[in-house]
């Protein structure tokens, strides 16, 4: 049972079916110790990012990883042009 594939963090982190997560890291070769260390560091990093968002007044609907400020892919963003 793969619980990590079902979880999605507030910032858009998740591990897909192919064991590659939203940040492009391949988890297929991780030991249990590697996975715990990685997830702990990722959670701390995301908590710092969310604190920064809270200081800016953003408390929900956080910009997702791999998107621009408006929440869409930067390649498909025509705003500001």
């Amino acid at each position: 049972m793969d619980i990590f594939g079902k979880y999605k963090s507030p910032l858009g982190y998740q591990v897909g079916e192919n064991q590659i997560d939203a940040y492009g890291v391949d988890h297929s070769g991780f030991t249990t110790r590697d996975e715990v260390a990685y997830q702990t560091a990722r959670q701390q990093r995301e908590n710092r990012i969310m604190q920064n968002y809270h200081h800016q007044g953003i408390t929900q609907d956080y910009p997702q990883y791999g998107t621009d400020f408006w929440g869409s892919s930067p390649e498909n963003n025509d705003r500001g042009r």
Side-chain angles (χ1 to χ4, degrees), residues 23-79:
Y23 298 123
V25 176
D26 185 355
H27 291 249
S28 62
F30 279 20
T31 65
T32 303
R33 182 177 300 204
D34 293 338
E35 188 68 37
V36 170
Y38 179 83
Q39 295 298 339
T40 302
R42 180 198 52 79
Q43 184 66 46
Q44 290 172 346
R45 182 177 59 247
E46 285 191 355
N47 285 340
R48 284 192 305 272
I49 292 170
M50 287 179 16
Q51 284 177 345
N52 289 337
Y53 282 137
H54 283 243
H55 290 296
Q56 298 173 37
I58 301 170
T59 58
Q60 59 184 0
D61 297 330
Y62 301 104
Q64 300 294 294
Y65 176 78
T67 63
D68 69 354
F69 179 79
W70 294 280
S72 60
S73 173
E75 296 85 29
N76 299 324
N77 182 18
D78 291 332
R79 295 180 192 207

Side-chain angles (χ1 to χ4, degrees), residues 12-23:
Y13 171 85
Q14 65 183 13
V15 176
E17 299 276 331
N18 59 2
Q19 295 298 308
I20 297 176
D21 69 18
Y23 298 123

Side-chain angles (χ1 to χ4, degrees), residues 2-18:
D2 181 20
I3 63 167
F4 294 109
K6 311 277 186 255
Y7 171 75
K8 184 173 182 178
S9 78
L11 296 178
Y13 171 85
Q14 65 183 13
V15 176
E17 299 276 331
N18 59 2

